[in-house]
């Protein structure tokens, strides 16, 4: 069946840890090399997606031996995935940061696994787990622990800390160097905050749907041509993401003028931002999104998104060692809560899968048993014929 795991579980889990480390370390790279040089976030995202697409196409040709072009029937699916995962995810996050601020934006990101678990059941991407099972409630509790821990680490960080936020699912604006092209006010009115929260709500829902749509319409389809071609899937998603981001790039002038109060060129990219752009293209985009797609092919969408809160402690801990930021007492507690939550999710998911396999009864009987049964039937019939002939002779 398409979408079944073909590699050891620990390899897939390690890949998801690498993804969150890649996302979490992105803010450190920007803060280290380009903290004082601002780039327009929309322009930054457009360059990132535009350059990442050919990198992934080349990777698809090398790793999967060919570039598989979608048919007219398959193309709408990739347009939808590019719209959700690359365009809406990034653009709504950019607008959320502008209206509500980076702290609130970071606090929203742990909602991604919650949305994924909810919509996976609503749209039957995953089977309803047995409510009487203790492992079902342990899994839900683990997701809640991880989400609360990530929010707590974001909200209760020391006020003097200047640690950058994590990349938050591939959004390129969750860091100081690319948040604005000039120093914007950190004060947000209640009206602005509400608008920003709506944008961030859409951002987290879009990312969860990106993973769920991939799982349901590509990796769970036995007749899908892309069921074992995760690199091609990611590449085509990024191509359409770049198209949509290019169409939205004229908004860069609006954002630039609204934030700076003066007209300036949003396409002016400082030379110091080259390192963050390269990191965003090759690590935060190509590598991380490729591993997300590959992991979605191997395990459930809920388990894939359950690792999202991990990027928050990764970013904060790396900022402590690299940038010299402080760690608050509460952050140790919330970090432990995230780790306990992830362990609960992984262990509960393993036990639920084990129980499901134990209760599984194949519709087609075992061939060896069938053949053995047929052999015994033939032998029995032959014995009956011999006995019948013997009685007839006498």
């Amino acid at each position: 069946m398409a979408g079944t795991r073909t590699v050891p579980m620990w390899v897939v889990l390690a890949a998801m840890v690498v993804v969150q480390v890649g996302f979490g370390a992105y803010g450190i790279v920007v803060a280290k090399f380009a903290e004082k040089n601002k780039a327009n976030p929309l322009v930054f995202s457009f360059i990132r997606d535009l350059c990442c697409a050919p990198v992934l196409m080349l990777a698809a040709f090398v790793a999967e031996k060919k570039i598989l072009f979608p048919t007219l029937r398959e193309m709408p699916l990739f347009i939808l995935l590019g719209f959700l995962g690359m365009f809406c995810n990034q653009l709504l996050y950019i607008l959320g940061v502008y209206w509500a601020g980076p702290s609130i934006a970071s606090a929203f990101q742990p909602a991604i696994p919650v949305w994924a678990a909810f919509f996976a059941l609503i749209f039957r991407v995953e089977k309803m787990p047995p409510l009487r099972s203790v492992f079902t409630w342990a899994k839900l509790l683990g997701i809640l622990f991880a989400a609360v821990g990530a929010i707590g680490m974001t909200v209760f960080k020391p006020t003097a800390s200047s640690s950058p936020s994590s990349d938050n699912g591939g959004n390129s604006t969750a860091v100081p160097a690319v948040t604005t092209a000039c120093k914007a006010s950190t004060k947000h009115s209640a009206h602005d905050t509400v608008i920003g929260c709506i944008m961030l709500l859409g951002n987290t829902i879009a990312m969860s749907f990106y993973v769920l749509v991939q799982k349901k319409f590509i990796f769970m389809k036995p007749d899908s041509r892309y069921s074992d071609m995760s690199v091609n899937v990611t590449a085509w998603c990024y191509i359409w993401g770049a198209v949509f981001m290019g169409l939205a790039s004229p908004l860069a002038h609006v954002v630039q003028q609204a934030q700076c109060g003066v007209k300036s060129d949003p396409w002016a990219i400082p030379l110091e931002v080259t390192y963050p752009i390269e990191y965003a293209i090759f690590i935060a985009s190509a590598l991380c999104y490729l591993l997300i797609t590959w992991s979605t092919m191997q395990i459930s969408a809920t388990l894939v998104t359950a690792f999202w809160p991990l990027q928050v402690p990764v970013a904060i801990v790396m900022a402590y060692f690299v940038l010299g930021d402080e760690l608050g007492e509460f952050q140790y507690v919330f970090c432990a809560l995230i780790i306990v939550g992830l362990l609960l999710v992984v262990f509960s998911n393993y036990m639920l899968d084990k129980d499901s396999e134990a209760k599984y009864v194949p519709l087609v009987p075992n061939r060896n048993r069938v053949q053995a049964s047929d052999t015994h039937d033939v032998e029995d019939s032959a014995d009956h014929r011999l006995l019948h002939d013997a009685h007839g002779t006498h």
Side-chain angles (χ1 to χ4, degrees):
M1 178 181 176
T4 55
R5 190 167 68 249
T6 58
V7 297
M9 185 65 167
W10 70 267
V11 176
V12 185
L13 298 181
M16 289 311 304
V17 172
V18 170
V19 168
Q20 302 312 321
V21 170
F23 284 158
Y26 175 69
I28 309 301
V29 173
V30 175
K32 189 70 176 177
F33 292 101
E35 186 173 11
K36 297 179 181 180
N37 299 278
K38 312 299 178 180
N40 187 280
L42 281 174
V43 174
F44 190 98
S45 295
F46 174 59
I47 295 174
R48 166 184 177 171
D49 294 349
L50 185 66
C51 295
C52 181
V55 171
L56 286 170
M57 278 295 177
L58 180 60
F61 182 78
V62 173
E64 297 172 345
K65 308 302 181 185
K66 63 179 178 179
I67 297 176
L68 187 60
F69 287 85
T71 63
L72 291 177
R73 189 175 182 179
E74 295 167 333
M75 191 63 76
L77 178 59
F78 288 103
I79 294 175
L80 176 62
L81 288 171
F83 179 76
L84 289 173
M86 286 70 193
F87 177 68
C88 287
N89 176 37
Q90 294 182 18
L91 180 62
L92 292 178
Y93 188 85
I94 290 170
L95 297 177
V97 169
Y98 169 66
W99 289 106
S103 296
I104 294 179
S106 297
F108 258 86
Q109 301 311 302
I112 292 176
V114 179
W115 290 123
F118 175 73
F119 290 119
L121 297 178
I122 294 296
F123 296 103
R124 298 183 180 181
V125 180
E126 299 175 10
K127 293 181 180 179
M128 174 70 74
L131 296 179
R132 294 183 179 180
S133 173
V134 65
F135 299 114
T136 299
W137 293 103
K139 183 177 180 179
L140 295 176
L141 189 63
I143 293 174
L144 181 62
F145 277 2
V148 171
I151 294 173
M153 288 197 75
T154 302
V155 173
F156 290 95
K157 63 183 179 182
T159 54
S161 175
S162 60
S163 62
S165 304
S166 57
D167 187 51
N168 295 309
N171 300 303
S172 60
T173 57
V175 285
V178 289
T179 300
T180 61
C182 60
K183 198 70 175 179
S185 175
T186 57
K187 296 181 180 179
H188 300 273
S189 66
H191 180 264
D192 291 347
T193 302
V194 170
I195 295 177
C197 288
I198 294 174
M199 299 295 178
L200 294 167
L201 185 66
N203 151 244
T204 54
I205 292 176
M207 189 62 207
S208 63
F209 265 103
Y210 171 75
V211 178
L212 293 173
V213 170
Q214 273 191 352
K215 187 68 176 180
K216 184 174 181 64
F217 295 103
I218 295 180
F219 301 126
M220 292 179 64
K221 290 286 185 179
D223 58 343
S224 173
R225 297 191 305 148
Y226 291 89
S227 60
D228 58 349
M229 304 189 74
S230 56
V231 188
N232 268 275
V233 170
T234 313
W236 285 107
C237 292
Y238 254 98
I239 285 176
W240 284 106
V243 170
F244 285 117
M245 195 60 72
L247 294 175
S249 59
L251 292 175
H253 293 276
V254 178
V255 174
Q256 188 91 347
Q257 187 171 0
Q259 291 179 337
C260 300
V262 294
K263 292 184 178 179
S264 58
D265 184 12
W267 294 91
I269 304 295
L271 183 62
E272 290 78 4
V273 185
T274 303
Y275 292 111
I277 288 180
E278 291 176 354
Y279 187 95
I281 293 170
F282 292 101
I283 304 299
S285 293
L287 177 62
C288 290
Y289 268 85
L290 176 56
L291 289 178
I292 289 172
T293 304
W294 179 80
S295 299
T296 304
M297 181 174 67
Q298 304 291 337
I299 58 178
S300 67
T302 303
L303 189 54
V304 169
T305 56
F307 280 79
W308 240 259
L310 185 62
Q311 64 186 264
V312 175
V314 167
I316 293 177
V317 171
M318 290 188 71
Y320 171 78
F321 288 104
V322 178
L323 304 178
D325 287 353
E326 297 180 1
L327 284 176
E329 295 179 357
F330 286 107
Q331 290 185 309
Y332 292 102
V333 177
F334 288 119
C335 183
L337 197 63
I338 293 173
I339 295 174
V340 171
L342 290 178
L343 290 176
L344 274 176
V345 171
V346 172
F347 178 73
S348 301
N349 194 81
Y350 169 77
M351 295 303 298
L352 288 171
D353 288 346
K354 190 176 181 180
D355 291 343
S356 179
E357 291 175 0
K359 295 177 182 178
Y360 173 73
V361 179
L363 297 177
V364 180
N366 187 283
R367 289 186 177 181
N368 294 331
R369 292 181 180 178
V370 173
Q371 292 174 356
S373 177
D374 292 343
T375 303
H376 287 305
D377 291 343
V378 171
E379 291 176 353
D380 291 342
S381 61
D383 291 340
H384 281 298
R385 284 197 299 271
L386 288 174
L387 289 174
H388 177 75
D389 292 343
H391 285 298
T393 303
H394 291 292

